[in-house]
Amino acid sequence: MKIYKNTGNIDTRSGFGAGLAELGKSNPDVVALCADLTGSLKMDEFKDNHPERFFQIGIAEANMIGIAAGMTIGGKIPFTGTFANFSTGRVYDQIRQSVAYSGKNVKICASHAGLTLGEDGATHQILEDLGLMKMLPGMTVINTCDYNQTKAATLAIAEYEGPVYLRFGRPKVANFTPEDQKFEIGKAVHLTEGNDVTIIATGHLVWEALEAAKILDEKGISAEVINIHTIKPLDETAILKSIRKTKCVVTAEEHNFLGGLGESVARTLTLNHPAPQEFVATNDTFGESGEPLMLLDKYGLNAKAITEKAEAVILRKE
């Protein structure tokens, strides 16, 4: 099987910051708005180099979304930045009414998503955001897996016309995708070829899926790993092609199993090609304060959990 090399752990939010800084130089229409978390969102370089295009809104996330929507009318491409919980749950009404309903070209960029926010605990660890955002008509939903992919996605969404939700995180995680990659919205990325089970992962769990595939390979099980960075629109063609071959699937995400990637895959299978599926996701629960790796272990969001689910789903094949 193909082995991917981790070039060094780095947080995905830094990939967003690097991409935004590059856009500041290349696209004069890009503007950035932040809700009092400039450092946490890695927006400092953009702010320092383009102060006339940076807007510190303060702890007023609803206002930030409304201002961003208005800026699009003048041809600007606004990137909003705050924690995922504040980017979605706190301002859902403003996103629905001012951005999604009228198809405004706002890029909603959300850091510190999921359990790996860590010590800040359940009030900040949103595990429902992918579901909230994918239900909005016309909203593109992206959840990247490493620094390089997050930077590439940030550059790509600036060229895309329409509202986008870009989700990334706080912890330092493996950086393993190509530095010069072309990010294609809505296109799955095949990481390994396999015949026994398909593992479809998104975000931080993509690297865990690759680690699980190595464990499975040592046991004589051939796993096909697919990186789904775009939750909506979902690459149903790639998913169905793989599952028709392997005849079973495990989905893995740092999100509630209700409303996330796994549920979208299940719907695709139900409508097109029913097959056994196991879920690696949080089980209709809130998170808690703790170190990121400890939380992922407690809630079953790691390579060990993916391996166990893969072995279980294979037994369910006809």
Side-chain angles (χ1 to χ4, degrees):
M1 61 173 289
K2 184 175 181 180
I3 302 297
Y4 286 82
K5 180 182 178 182
N6 175 13
T7 60
N9 286 14
I10 186 169
D11 45 294
T12 52
R13 58 177 171 161
S14 288
F16 165 69
L20 186 65
E22 191 169 315
L23 285 171
K25 300 173 185 176
S26 64
N27 192 332
D29 288 329
V30 168
V31 296
L33 302 86
C34 189
D36 203 36
L37 288 167
T38 310
S40 294
L41 269 288
K42 305 298 183 181
M43 301 172 80
D44 290 294
E45 186 175 349
F46 185 98
K47 179 193 72 172
D48 293 342
N49 292 333
H50 312 284
E52 77 286 358
R53 289 155 56 195
F54 179 81
F55 302 88
Q56 178 55 263
I57 308 302
I59 306 174
E61 294 85 355
N63 285 347
M64 179 174 69
I65 294 298
I67 293 167
M71 285 179 163
T72 66
I73 298 173
K76 299 302 180 185
I77 305 171
F79 281 65
T80 66
T82 186
F83 290 176
N85 192 32
F86 308 143
S87 288
T88 57
R90 177 170 289 183
V91 295
Y92 198 66
D93 177 64
Q94 284 74 25
I95 293 172
R96 183 184 187 275
Q97 304 296 78
S98 299
V99 177
Y101 179 60
S102 52
K104 293 292 190 295
N105 192 30
V106 176
K107 315 306 175 185
I108 302 166
C109 304
S111 183
H112 293 57
L115 288 174
T116 48
L117 171 57
E119 291 79 0
D120 285 0
T123 57
H124 287 51
Q125 294 163 331
I126 193 162
L127 295 163
E128 315 89 55
D129 54 319
L130 296 178
L132 286 169
M133 299 305 280
K134 79 177 186 181
M135 285 191 296
L136 290 170
M139 181 67 70
T140 293
V141 180
I142 296 171
N143 184 35
T144 50
C145 68
D146 71 357
Y147 171 95
N148 286 340
Q149 190 171 82
T150 307
K151 179 180 178 181
T154 303
L155 297 174
I157 64 175
E159 301 299 319
Y160 174 82
E161 181 68 30
V164 175
Y165 178 60
L166 175 62
R167 183 197 212 230
F168 42 93
R170 175 192 187 189
K172 293 182 178 180
V173 295
N175 189 37
F176 59 94
T177 64
E179 185 176 359
D180 60 349
Q181 66 188 276
K182 176 178 172 55
F183 188 92
E184 295 186 71
I185 295 172
K187 294 294 182 183
V189 180
H190 277 79
L191 297 176
T192 68
E193 297 291 332
N195 298 304
D196 297 325
V197 59
T198 297
I199 302 174
I200 297 174
T202 187
H204 293 148
L205 293 200
V206 175
W207 178 254
E208 296 297 321
L210 288 172
E211 293 294 287
K214 289 196 288 187
I215 297 170
L216 292 166
D217 186 61
E218 293 171 357
K219 297 182 177 186
I221 297 172
S222 172
E224 182 152 295
V225 178
I226 300 176
N227 172 8
I228 294 289
H229 52 62
T230 307
I231 308 298
K232 179 189 173 187
L234 188 66
D235 191 345
E236 295 184 350
T237 299
I239 290 169
L240 291 169
K241 181 179 179 181
S242 177
I243 297 172
R244 285 191 173 106
K245 177 176 63 172
T246 64
K247 299 180 173 56
C248 63
V249 60
V250 175
T251 51
E253 59 193 309
E254 189 183 347
H255 189 272
N256 194 341
F257 81 92
L258 297 169
L261 169 65
E263 196 170 78
S264 290
V265 171
R267 177 184 181 277
T268 299
L269 294 178
T270 299
L271 293 176
N272 297 279
H273 185 76
Q277 177 179 353
E278 294 285 343
F279 296 76
V280 172
T282 58
N283 187 19
D284 194 23
T285 183
F286 290 102
E288 62 185 284
S289 180
E291 296 179 7
L293 290 179
M294 294 176 65
L295 290 170
L296 292 179
D297 184 58
K298 177 176 180 177
Y299 287 82
L301 305 179
N302 54 19
K304 178 178 179 289
I306 296 170
T307 301
E308 291 171 352
K309 292 289 188 178
E311 292 175 317
V313 80
I314 287 171
L315 296 177
R316 294 173 53 200
K317 288 199 287 188
E318 294 182 357

